[in-house]
Amino acid sequence: METTLRGVGVSHGVAIGEVRHMGTAVLEPPAKQIPAEEAEREQGRARKAVEAVAADLMARGNLAGGEAQAVLEAQAMMAQDPELMADVERRIAVGSTAERGVYDAFASYRELLAGAGEYLAGRVADLDDVRNRIVARLLGVPMPGVPDSDEPYVLVARDLAPADTALLDPTLVLGFVTEEGGPTSHSAILARALGVPAVVALPGAGELAEGTMIAVDGSTGEIFVDPSDEKKAQLEAAAAERKAALAASTGPGATADGHKVPLLANIGGPADVAAAVEAGAEGVGLFRTEFLFLDDSKQAPSEEKQIAAYRQVLEAFPEGRVVVRVLDAGADKPLDFLTPADEPNPALGVRGLRTLLDHPDVLRTQLTALAKAAEGLPVYLEVMAPMVADRTDARAFADACREAGLRAKFGAMVEIPSAALRARSILQEVEFLSLGTNDLAQYTFAADRQVGAVSRLQDPWQPALLDLVELSAEAAKAEGKSCGVCGEAASDPLLACVLTGLGVTSLSMGAASIPYVRATLAKYTLAQCERAAAAARATDSAEDARSAAQAVLSGE
């Protein structure tokens, strides 16, 4: 009998196939004591296992490229954390085996992070994966992971570690469903990059029996268990219709009546450029530069290395717009040479622009490298600061840009509610705004973007979040300046129409989402988008906002 479940759709498309579960987690190693004379040997085993796991994560990152590479390199750095390794060796010195020492040291660190209010819940999930990989290697057992299958299937898991998600084979993994995670988790972002339909935060996902036939709608978040032939046909027809619409939709982003809405790509480095160009991106709306700094957590990359990487991206978009976000370090992206190690709430501490203003030499080098990378190129370079709280922040960033001789537009990201509420003040110092809806939702609702339990509050359809978008867009319009969206909200085709109706002037997203947004936007006039936006804001929940906008656009 067909039943319907609902999670959070995070990657467009429909997948129909049998359930295959991820392998079970690594068993807890026995707590046996070793003689003192074996401690040195066990410490050596632990070090070798850590080095092997770090090397494997780096290799996976090199294979995956793009956003996945940055995530996996961060995990490799976590595996080699000197404080963690020192704790492992201390435990072995007093009688633990290598595997037990690793298990207990990681458990202790995990408790420390969880005790800080789970602000680093995403880091906790990654930490668990690193621990499992090291323990599995020490025990000599295979690392639990993606099932071995010759037939395509839908992957079901409690959660997916970045190392698993990054190298999924889309020809075998039709889609995936997880019990944990949220719309802005690492796995969700990587699923969109792969173009694999995905639903996260589905309660009871683990209870779906192995081999059960399910249909996954990554747009709506619906899961149909034992779907009827009629339901399969409906979903397949809808998917085919979407595919045809995508193929027919080309050129710049615009509404049906010709109102231009540039569609830009979010990229993590040069490896993401090809997909963006192929998808018809009109430029880059968010160039995350963290990938360069994750190569070595002990020191910043040289000016020469930065120039080479930036120029690769700038050259790919002649006459196009490229918006670069300067380094956003802190919170879930700590760097040993920049960020404090003992902050009680890192997401609320020294992060983003605050970090750079504390280390002006790092900011100056990055801005100088961007200036030199753009020399002689016909690209429209724009540079923006993350985590701008007020006009004082905006002024400090604009001054730093001018001092570095940067000939570009200077902008501010709106990720903190204060920036949206005082957007017009901030625009006295900078020339554009870019809404990072992932963090804006996190800070508006006090809901960690990596915690599945609060995923309803991370939903970008929340009316309060739409209010802040509208405030920012109206401020920019009043000042004759632009206001784009570069957060994950822009990748939802229906929400893209609402954002346009709220006055947003450009939309930036993962390359895989651009054709969906382009095709959907082209179906409606600006007036329809404005009516849909007003209807969404008049509601009191994310679900009602989506339904209200859908009703307006479908003519109900």
Side-chain angles (χ1 to χ4, degrees), residues 181-201:
T184 60
S185 64
H186 283 152
S187 291
I189 292 170
L190 296 178
R192 285 187 285 272
L194 286 166
V196 177
V199 171
V200 301

Side-chain angles (χ1 to χ4, degrees), residues 499-522:
L499 294 173
T500 298
L502 291 173
V504 166
T505 56
S506 66
L507 299 166
S508 189
M509 64 210 76
S513 298
I514 291 175
Y516 290 91
V517 173
R518 182 193 291 119
T520 304
L521 204 57

Side-chain angles (χ1 to χ4, degrees), residues 326 353 356-357 360 363-365 367-368 371 383-385 388 390-412 426 428-431:
V326 293
L353 180 61
L356 292 174
L357 294 178
L363 177 59
R364 189 182 309 110
T365 299
L367 294 174
T368 302
V383 182
M384 62 186 181
V388 170
D390 56 15
R391 184 172 179 175
T392 300
D393 279 350
R395 183 187 303 121
F397 178 65
D399 287 346
C401 289
R402 282 188 284 268
E403 287 168 14
L406 193 61
R407 294 182 180 178
K409 285 187 176 181
F410 318 142
I426 286 171
Q428 304 310 303
E429 305 294 341
V430 295
E431 298 169 80

Side-chain angles (χ1 to χ4, degrees), residues 17-30:
E18 292 186 356
V19 167
R20 293 286 181 273
H21 285 272
M22 284 284 284
T24 55
V26 173
L27 293 174
E28 181 178 344

Side-chain angles (χ1 to χ4, degrees), residues 12 24 45 82 99 113 173 215 219 221 233 242 264 280 327 366 414:
H12 306 300
T24 55
R45 284 182 65 228
E99 44 268 41
L113 294 184
V173 181
S219 299
R242 264 182 239 157
L264 312 168
L327 175 64
Q366 184 169 26
V414 177

